[in-house]
């Protein structure tokens, strides 16, 4: 139920954005809960964007894991 | 390799598991409270990869499963009295006291399934002569989507049966069950996207319970377990965030404000678990006109949460696993579910059944 998927914002019109959920699956989502712009990735839950995904944090997480796991 | 695949990289998984083995000295039981975490753990076989002295149990993290029969009965009553019920797909098969919404549909009730609350608004606008009620379920992740639609002024022929619930009070309930002996929480990532880290602070502070917010890829869950073990080894208890790409310390403040504007926190009944203080939401006065219970004066006198023999109440708190229930895969199957945990794709029984589990996996 709390399933949410990342999707790329392609186009914004008012409170609605067209997003690409991957493999060309395009849907319209409500973006009233976030500040986002074209090109960003948002976390989509039941037709609403809940969060702008921090791509830097994603990369850092993987890097941090590598470091911790290799150094301990 | 794309980022998604990196979060499933078996090489990193092996390293995390090796560290986990060296860190885990005694027996430790960790509890998650999210159906999607149970899916990740079961689908990727994480319980089989972890050392034997580490157990991961599933708490009440499936909003469809914890929906009490009384609230299904309310929707059925409305459906059989000429109101069209709109809700998410999983909900229509959940057993009420006597029947489900699916059976109400077979008896002539108008019940529609949608992917999003936006669709409920669209349908209500398209058919202005009909009365619609959206049965709004879900935890903190879903609550803002209801609140947004309320603030956007839905059409007059659409009201809401609000059955939202809040996760931290359910986690606190688990800590009150002494013999569960939980050593740490894997907190739900997408609930936390909205509420942030603060609402979990009570667990380390009042219960000295390590708590790590985790994402939903297999490595997210494994690393969260590693972080919990690390806290235990260091003699610490704190709230940590493994899922930094989607969870910030403060959460989605805009969403929190919208929710706060529309709803107040009240006590709520959870299927088989009883009434939990401050665990549900009700409309604030300014928005009461959207309350279906008020508009239609819905009154359910008595209800029954569990069929005889059904162990959903114990499975939902992680006290037993599905294979210990006498009904599991005998008379309760994904095709003909008897208990709520077998209905939803996020219910522990259904997840185990879909992965063909007939014995306890450790």
């Amino acid at each position: 139920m709390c399933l949410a998927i990342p999707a790329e914002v392609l186009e914004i019109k008012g409170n609605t954005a067209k997003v690409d959920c991957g493999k060309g699956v395009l849907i319209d989502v409500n973006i009233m809960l976030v500040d986002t712009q074209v090109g960003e990735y948002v976390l989509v839950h039941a037709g609403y964007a809940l969060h702008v995904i921090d791509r830097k944090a994603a990369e850092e997480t993987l890097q941090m894991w590598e470091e911790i796991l290799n150094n301990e | 390799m794309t980022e998604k695949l990196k979060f499933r990289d078996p090489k990193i998984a092996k390293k995390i598991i090796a560290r986990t083995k060296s860190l885990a000295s005694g027996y430790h039981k960790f509890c998650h409270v999210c159906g999607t975490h149970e899916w990740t753990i079961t689908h990727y076989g994480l319980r089989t990869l972890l050392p034997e002295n580490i157990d991961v149990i599933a708490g009440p993290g499936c909003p469809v499963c914890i929906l009490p029969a009384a609230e299904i009965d309310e929707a059925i009553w409305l459906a059989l009295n000429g109101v069209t019920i709109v809700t998410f797909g999983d909900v229509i098969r959940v057993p009420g006291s006597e029947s489900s919404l699916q059976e109400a549909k077979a008896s002539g009730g108008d019940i529609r399934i949608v992917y999003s609350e936006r669709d409920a608004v669209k349908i209500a606008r398209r058919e202005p002569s009909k009365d619609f009620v959206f049965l709004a379920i879900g935890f903190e992740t879903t609550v803002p989507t209801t609140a947004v639609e309320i603030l956007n002024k839905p059409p007059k022929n659409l009201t809401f049966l609000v059955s939202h619930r809040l996760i931290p009070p359910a986690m606190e309930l688990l800590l009150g069950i002494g013999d569960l002996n939980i050593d740490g929480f894997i907190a739900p990532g997408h609930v936390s996207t909205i509420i942030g880290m603060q609402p979990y602070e009570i667990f380390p502070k009042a219960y000295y319970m390590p708590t790590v917010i985790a994402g939903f890829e297999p490595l997210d869950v494994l690393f969260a377990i590693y972080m919990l073990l690390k806290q235990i080894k260091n003699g610490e208890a704190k709230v940590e965030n493994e899922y930094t790409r989607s969870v910030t310390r403060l959460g989605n403040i805009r969403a929190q404000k919208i929710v706060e504007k529309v709803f107040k926190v009240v006590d709520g009944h959870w299927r088989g678990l009883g009434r939990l203080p401050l665990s549900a939401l009700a409309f604030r006065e300014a928005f009461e006109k959207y309350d279906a219970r008020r508009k239609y004066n819905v009154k359910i006198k008595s209800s029954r949460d569990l069929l005889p023999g059904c162990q959903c109440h114990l499975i939902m708190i992680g006290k037993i696993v599905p294979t210990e229930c006498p009904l599991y895969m005998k008379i309760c199957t994904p095709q003909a579910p008897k208990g709520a945990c077998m209905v939803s794709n996020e219910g522990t029984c259904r997840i185990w059944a879909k992965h063909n589990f007939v014995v306890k996996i450790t």
Side-chain angles (χ1 to χ4, degrees):
Chain A
M1 185 65 218
C2 294
L3 190 69
I5 50 165
E8 187 182 358
V9 178
L10 300 179
E11 199 181 296
I12 294 176
K13 270 188 200 154
N15 286 329
T16 307
K18 188 174 283 305
V19 300
D20 183 352
C21 302
K23 297 186 178 166
V25 177
L26 305 183
I27 57 167
D28 286 335
V29 299
N30 178 305
I31 51 166
M32 282 181 74
L33 298 167
V34 293
D35 268 322
T36 185
Q37 41 194 321
V38 171
E40 285 182 325
Y41 280 75
V42 287
L43 195 63
V44 176
H45 167 70
Y48 298 78
L50 297 186
H51 179 77
V52 178
I53 294 172
D54 188 342
R55 285 183 70 96
K56 208 167 142 247
E59 283 155 21
E60 280 169 5
T61 301
L62 289 161
Q63 255 173 27
M64 182 190 79
W65 288 356
E66 287 283 353
E67 278 167 30
I68 291 173
L69 296 169
N70 290 336
N71 293 339
E72 268 186 17
Chain B
M1 200 186 288
T2 66
E3 271 153 34
K4 192 166 140 194
L5 291 177
K6 278 188 206 157
F7 281 100
R8 294 176 190 172
D9 184 350
K11 272 191 231 130
I12 304 179
K14 269 185 193 156
K15 278 188 196 170
I16 303 176
I17 289 156
R19 297 285 176 223
T20 305
K21 279 183 180 154
S22 61
L23 265 178
S25 47
Y27 170 79
H28 298 295
K29 188 195 278 178
F30 301 128
C31 179
H32 71 74
V33 278
C34 179
T36 316
H37 274 150
E38 182 56 32
W39 191 89
T40 299
I41 289 165
T42 305
H43 185 76
Y44 292 100
L46 301 189
R47 286 192 180 94
T48 61
L49 297 175
L50 289 166
E52 276 180 7
N53 53 342
I54 302 222
D55 211 353
V56 183
I57 62 167
C62 158
V64 179
C65 309
I66 57 92
L67 189 61
E71 290 173 35
I72 295 289
D73 295 348
E74 289 177 329
I76 292 173
W77 184 84
L78 286 167
L80 296 179
N81 283 282
V83 178
T84 301
I85 296 291
V86 186
T87 192
F88 299 123
D90 280 359
V91 181
I92 77 156
R93 300 207 311 155
V94 178
S97 300
E98 302 294 336
S99 61
S100 65
L101 280 165
Q102 193 172 35
E103 286 160 283
K105 190 178 169 84
S107 309
D110 187 2
I111 289 143
R112 320 263 182 99
I113 295 174
V114 289
Y115 156 67
S116 167
E117 297 198 29
R118 299 167 69 221
D119 301 331
V121 173
K122 272 186 217 159
I123 293 172
R125 287 223 164 92
R126 204 173 57 205
E127 299 173 50
S129 60
K130 281 194 150 176
D131 272 349
F132 291 88
V133 166
F134 185 80
L135 172 50
I137 72 141
F139 295 128
E140 288 91 333
T141 321
T142 319
V143 174
T145 72
T146 304
V148 160
E149 291 308 333
I150 302 286
L151 286 184
N152 279 347
K153 299 200 173 94
K156 282 201 180 94
N157 59 331
L158 175 64
T159 52
F160 295 76
L161 205 54
V162 172
S163 292
H164 289 304
R165 292 291 184 276
L166 306 174
I167 276 288
M171 293 166 74
E172 203 164 357
L173 167 88
L174 298 178
L175 295 177
I177 306 170
D179 58 352
L180 274 183
N181 292 320
I182 296 169
D183 296 311
F185 276 128
I186 301 168
H190 291 148
V191 163
S192 312
T193 298
I194 301 297
I195 67 175
M197 297 170 70
Q198 195 278 331
Y200 304 110
E201 289 294 345
I202 181 177
F203 304 124
K205 282 198 182 117
Y207 299 93
Y208 211 72
M209 188 59 54
T211 303
V212 176
I213 297 165
F216 300 96
E217 293 294 339
L219 293 192
D220 285 320
V221 176
L222 287 176
F223 207 79
I225 291 167
Y226 167 84
M227 287 165 83
L228 286 168
L229 286 168
K230 195 92 187 167
Q231 284 193 36
I232 291 171
K233 193 180 178 205
N234 295 340
E236 294 172 321
K238 54 187 177 184
V239 179
E240 287 185 291
N241 180 14
E242 179 280 330
Y243 197 28
T244 50
R245 59 198 189 276
S246 292
V247 176
T248 58
R249 174 159 285 281
L250 298 175
N252 185 333
I253 292 169
R254 189 188 292 184
Q256 290 166 19
K257 281 188 180 154
I258 289 174
V259 170
E260 171 74 25
K261 202 167 178 183
V262 175
F263 294 116
K264 58 185 176 191
V265 179
V266 295
D267 297 350
H269 188 87
W270 293 53
R271 181 180 293 256
L273 304 182
R275 206 163 185 78
L276 303 195
L278 303 179
S279 67
L281 297 173
F283 282 109
R284 287 190 187 278
E285 217 178 300
F287 300 97
E288 276 178 347
K289 62 179 170 183
Y290 299 114
D291 187 353
R293 290 185 181 100
R294 201 179 150 94
K295 179 174 175 182
Y296 299 102
N297 194 23
V298 185
K299 292 264 183 301
I300 298 296
K301 283 194 187 106
S302 64
S303 64
R304 181 184 66 178
D305 276 346
L306 304 166
L307 269 187
C310 173
Q311 306 291 310
C312 273
H313 58 306
L314 297 178
I315 290 164
M316 283 189 295
I317 57 168
K319 180 103 178 143
I320 66 167
V321 293
T323 47
E324 293 173 271
C325 172
L327 309 190
Y328 177 76
M329 293 313 278
K330 294 192 175 75
I331 67 160
C332 184
T333 61
Q335 291 74 29
K338 294 284 182 281
C341 302
M342 189 60 96
V343 171
S344 168
N345 283 321
E346 305 231 313
T348 307
C349 294
R350 190 180 180 93
I351 294 169
W352 282 43
K354 284 280 181 190
H355 289 86
N356 298 322
F357 283 6
V358 287
V359 291
K360 184 180 177 182
I361 305 293
T362 52

